[in-house]
Amino acid sequence: MPKSQIVEPQKERKSGKLTCPEIPLNQYSGTVEDELERYGPEALVGIYEDMFLIREFENMLQEIKTQGIYQGIEYDHKGPAHLSIGQEAAAVGQAFLLSPDDHVFGSHRSHGEILAKGASAIRKIDDAELQVVMEDFLGGDCLRVVEKETSGGSVKDLARDFLLYGALAEIFARASGFNRGLGGSMHAFFTPFGVFPNNAIVGGSADIATGSALFKKVNRKNGLVIANIGDASMGCGPTWEAMNFAGMRQFHELWDESLRGGLPIIFNFMNNFYGMGGQTAGETMAFDMLSRVGAGVNPDAMHSERVDGYNPLAVVDAIKRKREVLEKGDGPVLLETITYRFSGHSPSDASSYRMKEEIESWQSVDPLDSFAAELKRVGVLDDAARDALIEKTRTAMVKACRLATDLEISPRLPSEKIGDLMFSNRRCESYDESREPELLLPHDENPRVQALAKKSRAGIIDGKPVSKNKVFQYRDAIFEAALHRFENDPTLVAYGEENRDWGGAFACYRGLTESLPYHRLFNSPISEAAIVGTAVGYALEGGRALVELMYCDFMGRAGDEIF
């Protein structure tokens, strides 16, 4: 609807053809020797260590769920456990180059991504800062539990214990877990390491992560965002809405020059070839390869690519290259990272929908074994060193499990405390006091402000009713409140259905167009799920979002996001 863009019949009716870019499939051709020279032996051994850490964590949960015991520790876990056994290389390769400023969002199957991103952050944060993070988090409740059991090690060793325990205590619903035990397996997060909330709704993180990327773009923050979602989520409308939102043409054509370009987000589809029991490419979806879908979103085909997620170095390479794309403003990006889960959809799933031979064929190329063999071949991880690493990790896992299952050491949050966490009970004028809000006009020069100043705010003058156009209306109050907040909080953005130029269906936004640059007030697609979901992600990053669904009738299309 912008008046600056003219839709010309001569151009739009012209004949021609569209061509789509080629989509690379498993094109990585590097070698362990190449990456050894680039990153060094310690880093490559660290990749194996993190993969084994995830494997042991998931094996522990599987044994707890199916047998009620792990390494002699008995526990009856009532909650869910959607495991990612077999997918470790994809998670660790993705996290390898990411910094704490890079934020990842996950799905219901994201224990591996949490641990991989956390372990990567621990390696990159200096010891003094790490110590402060652990001491400050939850008032030190999580740290105190592991400190009593850890002595003589380094700060990074302590931090790995902290990561393992905090994640597991959260899954087991303990007050010292990363989110006081209220998030559990499918909603765990730890923002100091750049691990943002996972989501139990299929594809739910797609639009939430898009809102996170919007925050980074609008507020000029460092880092990229990755939405880790499954291949079956491509069948969900909000996933498509999010990808379209992230690549809106206005980012390239209407926003201020300094903010031109798509959102800095990678939609990473962890393609393990199954939803629950439905096989995606072979049964329930229309595509033959998921990466093909990028061609339907924008002229760049979202720089779509299929990556071998069974080779962690291929994933490292892909993330490195895609970061360069995002830093040029050419996002969003679609990655199809192929992987495979050895376990069922959940511990109760007997995998009756797939052949034993299929599972065994993937197990025969298990990335833990194949990557360890490559490290041994180039002389950086012999059998003795590997055994020592395994023993060290398993000892840490046993300790975390013992601490997280002990109700005396790790009690649950008292029920009366839950209500205290529902509302902040505070007032915040601005979520960023370090900068001034970006505006196009001073307050008194806004034409609607000037018009309202001439209106009488009473419905009666001298005992006579005034005409409707002189009454101060409800929408006028909404306008004034919104403008006031825009002038005080630089993080505030407003977007939704037809609220720039037109001013929204009820004219609440009329007059804001004159005062606000495009990146603070813009029209969105008619994508109710994406509108609300992106607002959630924007707020999770620490900003204010005022979003518009044109009529209450439209709320049903954002049901998951609202509820």
Side-chain angles (χ1 to χ4, degrees):
M1 196 161 58
K3 296 176 183 177
S4 60
Q5 291 179 322
I6 307 301
V7 181
E8 301 176 7
Q10 295 87 348
K11 177 182 176 182
E12 301 305 328
R13 300 181 68 205
K14 186 177 180 180
S15 64
K17 292 181 180 180
L18 289 177
T19 58
C20 296
E22 290 186 348
I23 295 175
L25 304 175
N26 301 323
Q27 289 289 300
Y28 176 72
S29 60
T31 65
V32 173
E33 287 86 351
D34 295 335
E35 308 302 359
L36 183 61
E37 184 176 349
R38 183 176 289 112
Y39 299 116
E42 184 178 344
L44 266 58
V45 171
I47 288 176
Y48 176 80
E49 182 180 15
D50 291 354
M51 289 197 298
F52 183 79
L53 177 76
I54 297 169
R55 176 68 60 86
E56 188 65 21
F57 189 92
E58 299 287 70
N59 280 337
M60 175 273 301
L61 280 176
Q62 187 171 52
E63 291 179 24
I64 288 288
K65 284 294 293 182
T66 58
Q67 303 169 39
I69 188 169
Y70 167 74
Q71 298 288 317
I73 302 168
E74 296 184 5
Y75 186 63
D76 181 16
H77 175 49
K78 304 290 189 183
H82 295 82
L83 307 177
S84 61
I85 299 170
Q87 300 186 185
E88 299 86 359
V92 174
Q94 177 189 113
F96 181 74
L97 293 175
L98 300 183
S99 77
D101 287 335
D102 300 315
H103 297 165
V104 300
F105 291 75
S107 66
H108 56 280
R109 194 184 310 285
S110 286
H111 305 150
E113 291 142 31
I114 293 170
L115 295 177
K117 185 65 165 67
S120 174
I122 288 169
R123 287 191 169 89
K124 294 177 177 65
I125 301 174
D126 66 56
D127 287 359
E129 185 180 349
L130 261 182
Q131 190 68 39
V132 170
V133 166
M134 293 187 289
E135 289 173 355
D136 288 352
F137 189 72
L138 298 181
D141 288 355
C142 183
L143 176 61
R144 276 189 288 273
V145 174
V146 295
E147 264 186 330
K148 293 176 182 178
E149 301 279 340
T150 305
S151 60
S154 67
V155 172
K156 294 197 184 301
D157 286 337
L158 176 63
R160 282 177 79 86
D161 285 349
F162 173 88
L163 172 66
L164 269 181
Y165 170 75
L168 187 56
E170 180 59 30
I171 292 170
F172 289 165
R174 305 311 173 101
S176 48
F178 278 158
N179 316 118
R180 294 293 189 196
L182 298 177
S185 172
M186 293 188 283
H187 304 92
F189 58 96
F190 189 72
T191 56
F193 289 168
V195 182
F196 272 61
N198 304 296
N199 203 290
I201 297 168
V202 178
S205 286
D207 47 22
I208 296 174
T210 301
S212 168
L214 177 67
F215 177 88
K216 284 183 175 292
K217 183 178 184 64
V218 167
N219 296 281
R220 298 174 173 85
K221 300 294 183 181
N222 295 328
L224 55 81
V225 178
I226 300 180
N228 285 304
I229 46 185
D231 46 309
S233 72
M234 190 59 88
C236 298
T239 299
W240 289 81
E241 291 186 18
M243 292 190 298
N244 177 70
F245 189 107
M248 286 191 292
R249 295 310 304 165
Q250 64 178 289
F251 295 145
H252 302 274
E253 299 178 11
L254 293 171
W255 283 34
D256 297 343
E257 192 68 37
S258 64
L259 289 167
R260 292 281 168 91
L263 298 187
I265 183 172
I266 298 173
F267 292 94
N268 183 58
F269 291 86
M270 290 286 193
N271 184 4
N272 60 27
F273 304 98
Y274 291 91
M276 285 186 66
Q279 191 183 101
T280 48
E283 180 184 11
T284 63
M285 301 298 292
F287 55 70
D288 53 348
M289 294 188 183
L290 187 149
S291 51
R292 181 186 298 280
V293 171
V297 176
N298 67 13
D300 297 318
M302 294 181 70
H303 306 277
S304 184
E305 184 172 342
R306 170 180 272 204
V307 180
D308 181 6
Y310 255 44
N311 181 349
L313 300 179
V315 184
V316 171
D317 172 71
I319 296 297
K320 180 176 181 292
R321 289 183 290 102
K322 299 310 181 184
R323 178 189 288 279
E324 294 171 358
V325 169
L326 297 182
E327 288 176 347
K328 292 177 183 176
D330 290 338
V333 162
L334 186 156
L335 276 186
E336 175 195 4
T337 305
I338 59 168
T339 184
Y340 196 82
R341 54 172 169 83
F342 300 159
S343 54
H345 174 72
S346 62
S348 61
D349 171 18
S351 294
S352 59
Y353 46 86
R354 51 185 180 169
M355 296 175 63
K356 178 184 177 184
E357 290 79 6
E358 178 185 294
I359 299 173
E360 290 174 347
S361 69
W362 283 91
Q363 289 174 329
S364 71
V365 289
D366 187 337
L368 266 75
D369 294 334
S370 57
F371 191 64
E374 282 291 280
L375 295 183
K376 181 179 180 180
R377 182 180 63 79
V378 297
V380 299
L381 185 67
D382 60 24
D383 291 341
R386 182 185 182 189
D387 291 343
L389 188 153
I390 289 172
E391 181 61 27
K392 177 184 176 182
T393 301
R394 189 162 285 148
T395 298
M397 191 68 257
V398 170
K399 177 170 61 177
C401 186
R402 176 173 55 81
L403 295 174
T405 56
D406 190 318
L407 273 170
E408 290 189 9
I409 296 173
S410 305
R412 302 191 191 280
L413 188 70
S415 58
E416 64 270 15
K417 294 289 186 181
I418 295 175
D420 297 339
L421 302 173
M422 296 298 291
F423 301 99
S424 68
N425 295 316
R426 64 187 175 90
R427 180 184 181 89
C428 183
E429 288 295 322
S430 171
Y431 281 115
D432 187 352
E433 296 182 351
S434 67
R435 59 193 173 98
E436 292 296 317
E438 295 174 79
L439 301 165
L440 300 178
L441 289 177
H443 179 85
D444 292 341
E445 293 181 20
N446 180 280
R448 188 167 181 180
V449 169
Q450 294 173 345
L452 290 176
K454 299 175 182 178
K455 278 191 176 185
S456 168
R457 301 202 177 191
I460 303 290
I461 296 179
D462 297 331
K464 298 178 181 179
V466 299
S467 63
K468 182 179 179 180
N469 65 355
K470 291 186 178 180
V471 174
F472 189 82
Q473 297 175 310
Y474 199 93
R475 61 190 180 193
D476 298 327
I478 293 175
F479 161 79
E480 285 195 336
L483 181 60
H484 169 77
R485 186 56 58 200
F486 272 111
E487 292 173 339
N488 284 275
D489 188 344
T491 73
L492 178 61
V493 293
Y495 57 90
E497 293 163 346
E498 331 306 351
N499 54 358
R500 189 174 182 95
D501 295 318
W502 189 18
F506 300 100
C508 296
Y509 299 86
R510 193 170 296 157
L512 290 178
T513 297
E514 288 80 0
S515 284
L516 299 172
Y518 236 102
H519 64 278
R520 299 195 73 195
L521 174 69
F522 57 93
N523 294 327
S524 76
I526 303 175
S527 303
E528 287 81 6
I531 291 169
V532 178
T534 53
V536 171
Y538 193 93
L540 284 172
E541 285 282 358
R544 278 193 170 101
L546 174 62
V547 296
E548 172 91 353
L549 303 186
M550 189 176 288
Y551 304 109
C552 65
D553 314 52
F554 299 173
M555 287 174 61
R557 291 183 56 176
D560 280 341
E561 290 70 23
I562 291 173
F563 299 134

